[in-house]
Amino acid sequence: MALVLAGVASTRAQDPLPSWNDTAPKKAIVAFVEKVTKEGSPDFVPVSERIATFDNDGTLWAEQPMYFQLLFALHRVEEMAPKHPDWKNKEPFASLLKGDVKGALAGGEKAVGEIVMTTHAGMTTDEFDQIVKGWIATAKHPITKRPLIEMVYQPILELLAYLRANGFKTFIVSGGGIEFMRPWTEKVYGIPPEQVVGSSGKTKFEMRDGKPVLVKLPEVNFIDDKTGKPIGINQHIGRRPIAAFGNSDGDLQMLQWTAAGSGPRFCLYVHHTDAEREWAYDRKSHIGELDKGLDEAAAKGWTVVSMKDDWKSIFPPEKQ
Amino acid sequence: MALVLAGVASTRAQDPLPSWNDTAPKKAIVAFVEKVTKEGSPDFVPVSERIATFDNDGTLWAEQPMYFQLLFALHRVEEMAPKHPDWKNKEPFASLLKGDVKGALAGGEKAVGEIVMTTHAGMTTDEFDQIVKGWIATAKHPITKRPLIEMVYQPILELLAYLRANGFKTFIVSGGGIEFMRPWTEKVYGIPPEQVVGSSGKTKFEMRDGKPVLVKLPEVNFIDDKTGKPIGINQHIGRRPIAAFGNSDGDLQMLQWTAAGSGPRFCLYVHHTDAEREWAYDRKSHIGELDKGLDEAAAKGWTVVSMKDDWKSIFPPEKQ
């Protein structure tokens, strides 16, 4: 009995997931990791095949009241406006410059496409990298006023570290822009650029003053969302994840693709249920809609995290 | 004899590049690696930025008398022919089935494109993976009769291991098909699928009997050659290599892109100069043309390996 208690005490001391309540999701995660890392077990998975993929918006960091990449684009429109006097009479820019984001986005996908292309193309990849780094260093959340890089989910940061400590390679697979994420994911999540999969525009190789540059073109290369997620995983990673983590219907095909492999599999949905500490939304949300995914998770026995019930804390402590 | 060999092995035990002669290229490689790994040195490069990219055909393995992927495609045409009786009267297949490869390829890029699309599309990615694995396990070189997976350059295998032992992440960046390489690169080169960049076709996500599959379409997604190499590097790796290795003009932009970064850089061309132990070709070769690249290497002071003069052995010892 003393030995058993000692065992319990020491595992608690080393709890790799301290921000998780001791509810079903945490138990399922730990059981999965212990199973696939136990040599000689029938469920053992070699290190090279321990691939885990994470959605970004709504899974690694928040996505309300709008995708943070859209905040970046709006900021860029303001910065670029002095050189584009015609924008005063041209939608969606005219509305944006008046501070009317809703009016600008009333133009739907076409308007969003125009805002993204205008703000994400026309410079070199190196220049864009610097622009993103400069912005993210000080960008704050419009409601909480916290730095955006602190609007990340503490329990998921712990999960990333726990998986990596157990030989997993952790990847981001996001509908967000690949070049928007790469400048900061290593610092914020410990995920290096080569392990980031995302949407992208085309680029063009050019020589400028004898120096090669890649110019970002206003042309879509790849949309890493829905069926694009397994396609992007196949293209970038070239093997099937054994664990996948998402929060919306945009992640459903990634979870299906992961679940369909042979051997042990782990699929998890983060369910935004905490209106007090974060936001509560699911089946009818314009951002991060989780509808079909909730049904399939129930039908397939995937793990669903209720942020309200399963997480002790949501965000990291505020820095002093 | 065994004792003598053992003795040789042990005196060389600390030489990480035993198949390299002690000529300029080996010295340049070692000097570069020692410089970037020496903490506190002004040329020190953190582990996460030690990215090295290697071309495949002609740099990691041989490419004469034709690209090995073309051997695979020809083999597939023969295997598929019984289900395609019309091929007997349809070029380029008619010539191929008569064993007239030259005649088939006389159709130029269009003919090659048709052969590749026919043999590399129409199945799922999992099916293609199995087809490639089955073929590569027994495929032999048409001239040397050695297994294709032994037609790899022993000095480059040693270089890969040496770089990895020094904290480098090694990538393939090849004009060859990404899904043709990934099934065997980990076993043969120690390079995992997620570190392979190559040309690709488009894929489509489908549900078959409730199971998700990715179907390979007869449509080009990306050509990872010439200016495509820096574009592919940016897309897949998301940071600039500090070292790059190639053998043809198809690698020139990759080397330029690598060289143009700040801090220490290393660019190397393998020059096929050994008509006896391998093949000798460069400026006027249809395969692996190295013309502009030789001039630029001389102008920029890049390292050029003469296979004849700088390599003690070319291929690994034959397995008994």
Side-chain angles (χ1 to χ4, degrees), chain A residues 13-36:
Chain A
Q14 297 172 346
D15 184 354
L17 302 171
S19 299
W20 293 68
N21 288 322
D22 289 322
T23 45
K26 176 175 178 172
K27 287 176 187 164
I29 291 167
V30 172
F32 174 76
V33 170
E34 290 182 347
K35 183 168 72 172
V36 300

Side-chain angles (χ1 to χ4, degrees), chain A residues 145-165:
Chain A
K145 308 299 179 195
R146 291 191 65 172
L148 287 184
I149 55 171
E150 293 181 18
M151 294 296 292
V152 297
Y153 303 129
Q154 177 65 23
I156 300 288
L157 295 183
E158 293 166 6
L159 175 57
L160 286 169
Y162 175 54
L163 290 173
R164 289 195 289 256

Side-chain angles (χ1 to χ4, degrees), chain A residues 61 72 131-139 147-149 180 183-184 188:
Chain A
W61 73 355
F72 166 74
I131 291 169
V132 174
K133 279 186 177 140
W135 175 78
I136 198 88
T138 60
L148 287 184
I149 55 171
F180 171 73
W184 49 269
V188 175

Side-chain angles (χ1 to χ4, degrees), chain A residues 124-127 203-217, chain B residues 226-231 240 249-261 267 269 292-293 296-297 300 302:
Chain A
T124 69
T125 51
D126 283 348
E127 287 163 355
T203 59
K204 190 180 164 223
F205 180 90
E206 262 184 37
M207 279 291 179
R208 289 187 179 171
D209 302 324
K211 243 194 130 173
V213 294
L214 292 175
V215 181
K216 287 172 66 61
L217 305 177
Chain B
K226 297 194 168 71
T227 61
K229 292 210 174 192
I231 291 171
R240 201 186 293 250
D249 283 358
D251 304 310
L252 180 55
Q253 288 84 355
M254 171 169 80
L255 270 59
Q256 291 171 332
W257 178 246
T258 301
C267 293
Y269 261 129
K292 288 180 195 162
E296 186 141 344
K300 300 273 175 71
W302 295 343

Side-chain angles (χ1 to χ4, degrees), chain B residues 26-38 43 45 162-163 168 242-243 245 263-267:
Chain B
K26 177 175 178 172
K27 287 175 187 165
I29 291 166
V30 172
F32 174 76
V33 169
E34 289 182 350
K35 183 168 74 173
V36 301
T37 55
K38 193 177 171 185
D43 289 321
V45 175
Y162 176 53
L163 289 173
F168 280 77
I242 65 166
F245 304 83
R265 302 281 140 177
F266 191 79
C267 293

